[in-house]
Amino acid sequence: MNKKCLGCGAVFQTTNPLEPGFVDEKVKEKALVCKRCFRIKNYGDYQVIKKDINNYQEIFDGIKNKNDLILFLCDIFTLDESLNYINNFKGKVVLVITKKDLLPKSVKEAKLLNYIKENYDINVSDIIFVSSNKNYNIDALMRIIMKNKSSKNVYLVGNTNAGKSTLINQIIKSYAKKEGFITTSSLPATTLDVIEVNLSDDLTLIDTPGLVSNNNYLTGVKPSEVKIIMPKVEIKPRTYQMKPYQSIIIGNYARIDYLSDKKNSFTLYLSNEIKVKRINLNTNDYLRDLNKTSFDLDDKNDFVINGLCFCKITKSCKVNVYTKKNVDVFKRNNLI
Ligand SMILES: Nc1nc2c(ncn2[C@@H]2O[C@H](COP(=O)(O)OP(=O)(O)O)[C@@H](O)[C@H]2O)c(=O)[nH]1
Ligand SMILES: [Mg+2]
């Protein structure tokens, strides 16, 4: 069998640097990872690879019909779009909510669990919150895996950036006592093919390339911007006491016009690195040329700009949200 990159799963080749799995001829015998993975790991620089998106769909469709245990990963910020496709598997599914460390400590897990059970129609054997960065609940997850698996193989699936590869590396570190080799990054499509990690005689974790969502703010955004928009540390919610007819400007990413004549309170959950300012509604038209979504919100609603932020409001009101075309903007019950 052809040698594969331990970082992204692509088969090694020495002919085209723009295709997956490229290694220089002179290092091809010794190399463990392809040139792109080497550069992501050592220099943090990311090279977009030409890769047919249908190939991910094919891998995903293949897994749907297996009887093996599925760990379905998503972070709290992409719940809504991810859970849309969680009921598609033949095998048992465990929902793993990743990056717990990003949530403010005041947010109670039990409450979120209830919220998920009440608001989404999902058919899963278990739900668990983990943080690979803080090694939180990894042992508990392993117990769930051992209890639910139906064979040696356990698949990790979920959108790109959900934290699949990071979780496997963390498990390798804790259970195999060595460094995990899988390449991780904040950019979409880092993992290019399935990667099998043999942890023991009766457990193989299988990493998969994540589905890339077309309706997520992060898709198509420059790597330097992804680093700002994707939260890395515990989010500090930002509350704004809104006076009638004010606007909130979120970096150069989105604008919210508040169109009601009562005071209100908006709490934004987003990366601490994004600058937010409040202005009077008609001070300027900044970002009003973006795509507009109008909402009538009630006092138990959030509105969500998928991949960028969500906002909890406390009184019913009307808002206009302006953001990039194709990004899902929607309301839901208050998550927090
Ligand atoms: N804060 C935090 N970030 C994480 C965690 N797990 C993964 N990430 C970050 O999320 C991004 C995507 O991770 P990756 O494992 O490549 O996701 P994959 O596409 O699902 O394999 C990377 O920037 C990771 O550092 C976590 O537990 N906490
Ligand atoms: Mg990955």
Side-chain angles (χ1 to χ4, degrees):
M1 198 183 78
N2 287 333
K3 199 164 143 190
K4 278 178 147 195
C5 170
L6 295 182
C8 66
V11 175
F12 279 157
Q13 50 92 9
T14 54
T15 44
N16 188 345
L18 298 178
E19 299 273 343
F22 179 78
V23 280
D24 285 321
E25 185 70 41
K26 57 181 188 296
V27 299
K28 78 169 185 218
E29 301 302 329
K30 278 197 302 200
L32 298 174
V33 295
C34 70
K35 191 164 186 175
R36 185 183 77 124
C37 285
F38 183 83
R39 294 199 62 89
I40 295 177
K41 275 179 214 237
N42 292 293
Y43 309 113
D45 77 89
Y46 178 83
Q47 186 200 341
V48 179
I49 282 287
K50 284 199 267 166
K51 174 101 173 140
D52 182 4
I53 219 91
N54 290 329
N55 183 260
Y56 303 137
Q57 190 63 47
E58 247 170 57
I59 293 174
F60 187 75
D61 289 342
I63 298 170
K64 275 192 203 161
N65 296 318
K66 297 200 184 282
N67 287 314
D68 306 304
L69 177 64
I70 307 291
L71 301 183
F72 187 97
L73 274 72
C74 68
D75 62 31
I76 204 79
F77 301 96
T78 51
L79 267 184
D80 300 87
E81 71 167 349
S82 302
L83 295 186
N84 271 335
Y85 66 92
I86 195 172
N87 287 342
N88 279 324
F89 299 91
K90 198 165 153 202
K92 264 194 194 177
V93 176
V94 170
L95 172 59
V96 182
I97 300 177
T98 55
K99 311 187 190 179
K100 171 69 174 40
D101 56 295
L102 295 181
L103 287 173
K105 295 210 175 56
S106 55
V107 176
K108 293 284 164 285
E109 232 174 87
K111 223 176 136 195
L112 281 180
L113 271 179
N114 268 342
Y115 178 91
I116 291 167
K117 287 178 188 157
E118 279 169 17
N119 287 276
Y120 304 96
D121 176 23
I122 58 173
N123 181 11
V124 294
S125 303
D126 217 328
I127 304 177
I128 183 168
F129 288 84
V130 302
S131 163
S132 303
N133 284 14
K134 301 277 179 203
N135 203 8
Y136 171 72
N137 259 352
I138 306 295
D139 290 340
L141 174 64
M142 283 303 268
R143 287 193 292 277
I144 291 178
I145 293 175
M146 295 323 261
K147 192 173 101 193
N148 287 285
K149 74 189 183 67
S150 55
S151 72
K152 185 178 163 175
N153 292 340
V154 174
Y155 286 85
L156 281 84
V157 303
N159 279 12
T160 191
N161 258 334
K164 301 177 290 299
S165 302
T166 308
L167 177 62
I168 296 192
N169 283 341
Q170 185 55 42
I171 293 176
I172 297 174
K173 203 165 165 184
S174 304
Y175 289 84
K177 305 285 180 226
K178 58 182 182 196
E179 284 300 314
F181 257 110
I182 306 178
T183 308
T184 62
S185 86
S186 56
L187 298 148
T190 303
T191 309
L192 296 175
D193 208 336
V194 293
I195 303 178
E196 297 192 6
V197 176
N198 256 315
L199 273 188
S200 68
D201 290 344
D202 66 348
L203 182 59
T204 299
L205 296 180
I206 304 172
D207 193 8
T208 64
L211 293 180
V212 178
S213 157
N214 289 325
N215 310 106
N216 188 299
Y217 198 96
L218 290 172
T219 305
V221 164
K222 280 196 298 222
S224 55
E225 297 280 316
V226 172
K227 288 184 181 145
I228 297 171
I229 297 170
M230 215 183 84
K232 283 178 271 310
V233 294
E234 183 181 326
I235 286 176
K236 297 192 179 70
R238 285 180 253 180
T239 299
Y240 296 87
Q241 302 305 335
M242 299 298 288
K243 292 194 191 128
Y245 306 104
Q246 290 191 317
S247 303
I248 290 179
I249 311 282
I250 303 177
N252 49 12
Y253 314 119
R255 171 181 180 128
I256 299 154
D257 283 350
Y258 176 60
L259 302 170
S260 294
D261 56 9
K262 284 183 295 226
K263 286 187 181 171
N264 211 331
S265 165
F266 281 26
T267 303
L268 276 177
Y269 294 80
L270 77 177
S271 161
N272 302 338
E273 288 174 46
I274 300 178
K275 292 200 175 69
V276 176
K277 63 180 182 190
R278 189 175 28 169
I279 60 169
N280 288 329
L281 185 76
N282 287 322
T283 307
N284 61 45
D285 278 332
Y286 187 54
L287 304 181
R288 276 211 186 111
D289 53 338
L290 299 177
N291 216 49
K292 178 170 97 177
T293 314
S294 302
F295 287 116
D296 267 312
L297 300 163
D298 71 37
D299 56 359
K300 292 193 178 52
N301 277 157
D302 281 347
F303 61 84
V304 182
I305 305 176
N306 189 23
L308 178 67
C309 68
F310 63 91
C311 180
K312 175 181 168 143
I313 56 128
T314 45
K315 292 190 192 119
S316 58
C317 64
K318 284 182 193 301
V319 294
N320 283 340
V321 177
Y322 299 82
T323 195
K324 212 169 61 157
K325 214 167 75 189
N326 295 334
V327 174
D328 272 344
V329 180
F330 56 93
K331 62 178 179 179
R332 66 174 178 206
N333 291 334
N334 286 152
L335 177 70
I336 290 173

